[in-house]
Amino acid sequence: MTGSRPLDVTSTEHEAAASETAILTIDLDALLANYRRLCELAAPAECAAVVKADAYGLGLAQAAPALARAGCKTFFVATLGEAKALRKLAPHATIYVLAGLMPGTAELFRERDLRPVLNSAEEIKEWASFSASKGETLPCAVHIDSGMNRLGLSAEEVDAVANARDLWAALKLSLVMSHLACADEPRHPKSEAQRKAFDRLRARLPKALASLANSAGILLGPNYAYDLVRPGIALYGGKPHRQGANPFQPVVHLKGRILQVRNVAAGETVGYGATRTLKAPSRVAIVSVGYADGLFRSLSTKDGEEGLVVYTGSHAAPILGRVSMDLITVDVTHVPEKVSRRGQWVELIGPNVSAQEFAHHAGTIDYEVLTNLGRRAYRRYIGG
Ligand SMILES: *Cc1c(COP(=O)(O)O)cnc(C)c1O
């Protein structure tokens, strides 16, 4: 995989307590390398960091301070609760809350110097009147819907508020943003249509910094960068575009431990539901991770299906049969016994098993893989 650095497996094994059965390593150096790469790609635009959902499951408490130390000044979270946690970790950062302004929460934003991303004319009015009541012009972003039909002001709503001078005078519009629906498909015509709609609509609003690109949008080129970019998944080693190589380094490494290895005769079945019948005599390793650790149950295989290929040392071994809560079964028939015996580690996500490949076998995307890593594995942060 491009840009991957092999981790020192032996030191991982050495450092983990002997009792650990799963290790989740988060490589903060790789996170920061990805951040610097995104800064270069987006320059001269500012590169913010999207750290919603506990930094995509990797740990806000570790990721946010590391990014702030690396020079990141602007952060986006989804919820006010996430913003409160982030404020403690990054006292001087600019923090935007994508969920916007829920009724009755304006004072919570003000107290902690947080900025709502206002999603409707109603929210804009509420923020403006709250600001006026405090005798302050409080900062905020406005989200324009440029064609995704999810959050943000419609074209009609932009028209309705565009000329409301009193409204705009009462607050400080620090950012106008929109979000791309199809940026992961580089040739999709929707991105360009959204970019044009964004330009048309933001021209009607007071002058402010502009932001359109998520990770995939940054890779669409400089036309999409505007003043500020908002990458999430690329920071965490995800693959923004469907085609081509991943220009970002893997950040997450998940390993599980072999608890037992058994010889199973041809014709026998493996695991719950007896979904997998062995065609030949096999060596089957029972590995100590399951759906409670983010190994989606949809990684299960039945007869005729190819399982996700995981690694013991440098040896490939496919998942067999059903994934259960705490266990998976792996075919190690062709793996030398010295790397496939009780106590050995199996790589489930890492340099050999990308989060995208993992996601593909589970019928999902790397975003969902990362945000579902679970809390049971022993977490280890390196670098940063
Ligand atoms: C989550 C999110 C992002 C980050 O998207 P990635 O695809 O992870 O880079 C950017 N902008 C908005 C509005 C988002 O909700």
Side-chain angles (χ1 to χ4, degrees):
M1 197 201 293
T2 350
S4 73
R5 286 181 298 116
L7 283 180
D8 184 343
V9 177
T10 42
S11 79
T12 305
E13 283 169 327
H14 188 71
E15 280 177 37
S19 60
E20 297 302 341
T21 47
I23 301 177
L24 180 61
T25 304
I26 315 280
D27 183 350
L28 295 173
D29 284 342
L31 169 77
L32 298 184
N34 291 339
Y35 177 68
R36 285 189 290 269
R37 185 83 202 269
L38 288 158
C39 288
E40 283 163 22
L41 287 167
E46 179 189 344
C47 188
V50 180
V51 292
K52 61 194 181 189
D54 199 29
Y56 287 46
L58 276 56
L60 183 71
Q62 291 76 18
L67 287 162
R69 281 195 300 275
C72 183
K73 294 186 166 52
T74 305
F75 292 84
F76 289 81
V77 291
T79 70
L80 187 53
E82 292 173 353
K84 287 196 232 169
L86 176 57
R87 176 50 79 215
K88 293 195 186 126
L89 298 163
H92 307 296
T94 297
I95 301 174
Y96 287 104
V97 179
L98 293 165
L101 189 64
M102 291 298 285
T105 59
E107 186 57 51
L108 295 173
F109 278 91
R110 181 176 161 274
E111 273 169 8
R112 291 173 174 81
D113 189 20
L114 305 170
R115 302 183 184 185
V117 177
L118 304 172
N119 289 307
S120 65
E122 195 181 354
E123 289 181 37
I124 296 172
K125 286 174 191 155
E126 214 168 296
W127 190 247
S129 64
F130 175 76
S131 295
S133 77
K134 294 287 165 186
E136 296 169 37
T137 49
L138 295 168
C140 60
V142 163
H143 191 161
I144 297 174
D145 180 52
S146 57
M148 190 164 184
N149 288 302
R150 208 178 58 170
L151 284 176
L153 278 80
S154 64
E156 295 73 37
E157 271 192 300
V158 170
D159 278 341
V161 296
N163 299 317
R165 292 237 176 113
D166 294 352
L167 211 54
W168 300 115
L171 48 75
K172 182 172 184 298
L173 183 62
S174 56
L175 186 73
V176 175
M177 57 170 270
S178 190
H179 195 42
L180 296 166
C182 304
D184 58 330
E185 296 175 58
R187 276 176 291 279
H188 201 294
K190 182 132 190 144
S191 298
E192 197 55 18
Q194 284 194 265
R195 198 176 70 78
K196 289 193 173 126
F198 181 53
D199 282 343
R200 199 171 61 244
L201 293 169
R202 75 189 179 90
R204 311 221 39 211
L205 299 180
K207 239 180 143 33
L209 296 180
S211 176
L212 181 61
N214 61 346
S215 301
I218 293 167
L219 297 181
L220 293 180
N223 282 349
Y224 288 82
Y226 291 91
D227 301 303
L228 180 99
V229 296
R230 312 186 306 270
I233 194 73
L235 290 169
Y236 311 110
K239 183 165 176 288
H241 280 180
R242 292 211 201 153
Q243 291 90 18
N246 186 0
F248 302 101
Q249 295 186 16
V251 176
V252 170
H253 306 255
L254 179 64
K255 288 187 174 65
R257 217 158 188 196
I258 298 178
L259 303 179
Q260 187 177 6
V261 180
R262 61 195 314 127
N263 294 310
V264 187
E268 288 287 323
T269 64
V270 178
Y272 279 126
T275 58
R276 188 69 181 239
T277 305
L278 297 173
K279 291 209 182 88
S282 304
R283 286 181 70 241
V284 177
I286 323 302
V287 180
S288 60
V289 287
Y291 56 76
D293 306 289
L295 274 281
F296 293 110
R297 196 161 174 278
S298 54
L299 289 168
S300 300
T301 60
K302 48 181 185 278
D303 287 330
E305 289 176 354
E306 301 267 324
L308 172 70
V309 173
V310 297
Y311 276 76
T312 86
S314 58
H315 300 273
I319 294 180
L320 283 176
R322 288 245 176 108
V323 173
S324 40
M325 187 188 293
D326 317 312
L327 300 170
I328 56 171
T329 40
V330 173
D331 184 355
V332 293
T333 309
H334 304 292
V335 177
E337 284 193 30
K338 73 176 195 325
V339 289
S340 60
R341 58 174 181 234
R342 177 172 152 260
Q344 293 288 331
W345 293 95
V346 175
E347 176 191 329
L348 304 153
I349 301 176
N352 296 301
V353 190
S354 70
Q356 300 74 48
E357 181 68 12
F358 184 114
H360 174 74
H361 276 270
T364 183
I365 53 175
D366 45 11
Y367 295 73
E368 196 181 12
V369 171
L370 298 185
T371 53
N372 278 281
L373 287 167
R375 279 156 292 172
R376 181 164 56 186
Y378 169 76
R379 278 199 179 211
R380 181 171 170 265
Y381 290 87
I382 59 171

